[in-house]
Amino acid sequence: MRIDLHTHSTISDGTDSPTRLMMKAARSGLDVIALTDHDTFDGLEEAQAAGQRFGVRLLPGLEMTCHIGGRDVHLLGYGTRLDDPVLGKELQATRVSRVTRLDAICQRLSDAGMTVTVNDVHRAAGAASSLGRPHIADAMVAKGYVEDRDEAFRDWLSEGKPAYVSRRSVALEDGIDLIHDAGGVAVLAHPWGRGTQQVLTPQVIASLSAYHQLDGIEVDHQDHDPAARRMLFDLGGRLGLVRTGASDYHGAGKKDHELGCNVTRETAYRELVTRIQLRRGVLRVR
Ligand code: AMP
Ligand code: FE
Ligand code: FE
Ligand code: ZN
């Protein structure tokens, strides 16, 4: 069985619609896909319907924007009830702040001589219900200010760069609890990608596991070199965490993240499914 548990669609910052994503998953020989758009469940119903047509099983998921130690970190949730009011309210608040920070970012870009309006960004975001910096990057590309998303992030949009403006997010510990309370399982996304190993040390991961019953960590991810993968695999084994692997596919929006480039072992997937059932979460949308 080929299983990819971290992907994005046009409902957040991917470039394939949920339907196209599932079609491509079938073509890539995948049996299970988790759609994990940022802070939204809006693509899941379409993905599940398409999955049925193309013979790919959908595991309902999301990637929640969280913070710890003053840094952004990402938390994957699988199998949460989509109508959980507390989780829903939190996600809604994060999505709203994704929109309200836009004015400030556009102002900073304009101060730097790049005219990008809020409307330009909304146009670039199309059908997305969760608006992200990648859409701002797309608007910058459309206006010819940068070559691609990578350049926009490298020079302008990343933490510490001139056009970076923070937005609301939930504390990581609370994110884990929210996912559990909604019946789901919580897996740290790319814990040692892009400098987050500074805040997600082995000690911190151990305490998230001990005090918040963190379920798993993403081990095989493009942001992790072979040494990081080995250390995370060992750490996860010692702590009894489910160890996953995934592409973090964003379509054309992220290079070198092709569907199925990393996969999750069937035993790990089954463990997640069992935990979702024990928590009374959902394996199907509706
Ligand atoms: P935001 O959701 O607004 O915080 O933006 C974060 C998103 O930007 C993440 O989902 C990443 O996938 C994406 N991202 C970060 N760095 C890059 C990059 N260099 N190129 C393309 N996408 C990126
Ligand atoms: Fe993303
Ligand atoms: Fe992420
Ligand atoms: Zn992701």
Side-chain angles (χ1 to χ4, degrees), residues 1-282:
M1 247 169 101
R2 301 217 336 126
I3 303 160
D4 188 339
L5 295 185
H6 184 169
T7 69
H8 297 269
S9 75
T10 46
I11 301 304
S12 66
D13 56 357
T15 60
D16 289 330
S17 68
T19 298
R20 200 168 163 73
L21 170 75
M22 298 309 272
M23 188 192 76
K24 285 193 176 174
R27 245 197 246 152
S28 308
L30 288 158
D31 303 287
V32 180
I33 280 280
L35 175 59
T36 53
D37 275 317
H38 299 284
D39 304 307
T40 178
F41 295 128
D42 289 350
L44 295 175
E45 213 173 303
E46 180 186 327
Q48 181 173 279
Q52 276 162 357
R53 282 212 301 287
F54 301 122
V56 178
R57 170 170 280 277
L58 175 83
L59 177 66
L62 89 163
E63 185 172 19
M64 218 178 160
T65 311
C66 300
H67 65 262
I68 186 168
R71 296 290 306 267
D72 265 6
V73 293
H74 290 172
L75 183 64
L76 295 161
Y78 301 111
T80 57
R81 291 182 296 272
L82 308 191
D83 58 356
D84 182 87
V86 185
L87 178 59
K89 203 168 150 232
E90 187 59 50
L91 297 177
Q92 167 79 14
T94 298
R95 288 197 303 270
V96 166
S97 90
R98 287 171 166 283
V99 176
T100 50
R101 74 168 165 174
L102 256 186
D103 277 324
I105 293 179
C106 289
Q107 184 58 52
R108 291 197 184 189
L109 289 174
S110 146
D111 292 346
M114 290 174 278
T115 316
V116 175
T117 66
V118 170
N119 270 339
D120 293 333
V121 178
H122 282 293
R123 199 169 314 123
S129 57
S130 183
L131 212 141
R133 281 173 287 168
H135 301 120
I136 303 166
D138 290 346
M140 294 167 74
V141 173
K143 292 228 151 171
Y145 294 128
V146 291
E147 197 66 42
D148 54 19
R149 283 186 180 183
D150 270 339
E151 189 186 334
F153 271 91
R154 194 189 63 223
D155 296 345
W156 301 103
L157 301 174
S158 301
E159 278 174 89
K161 297 297 170 181
Y164 176 76
V165 176
S166 72
R167 44 138 174 62
R168 187 180 188 290
S169 61
V170 66
L172 179 58
E173 297 85 343
D174 296 339
I176 296 171
D177 294 348
L178 280 169
I179 287 170
H180 285 158
D181 291 346
V185 297
V187 174
L188 272 184
H190 42 73
W192 289 357
R194 301 215 171 102
T196 45
Q197 61 269 38
Q198 290 157 17
V199 288
L200 294 173
T201 61
Q203 291 77 6
V204 168
I205 294 174
S207 96
L208 292 171
S209 163
Y211 299 110
H212 293 272
Q213 283 78 52
L214 174 71
D215 295 280
I217 51 176
E218 200 172 50
V219 170
D220 288 314
H221 184 281
Q222 296 302 78
D223 288 352
H224 296 155
D225 64 20
R229 293 179 192 216
R230 269 195 306 278
M231 284 189 280
L232 283 168
F233 187 85
D234 291 346
L235 177 68
R238 280 202 302 282
L239 297 174
L241 294 167
V242 180
R243 295 163 293 188
T244 67
S247 62
D248 201 358
Y249 178 74
H250 282 68
K254 224 178 202 182
K255 290 168 197 138
D256 192 31
H257 285 258
E258 287 316 308
L259 276 172
C261 65
N262 300 297
V263 289
T264 295
R265 285 162 306 130
E266 192 174 340
T267 47
Y269 167 66
R270 299 262 172 238
E271 175 66 26
L272 291 176
V273 166
T274 301
R275 291 186 188 206
I276 292 167
Q277 287 165 332
L278 287 171
R279 290 188 193 276
R280 304 198 179 287
V282 298

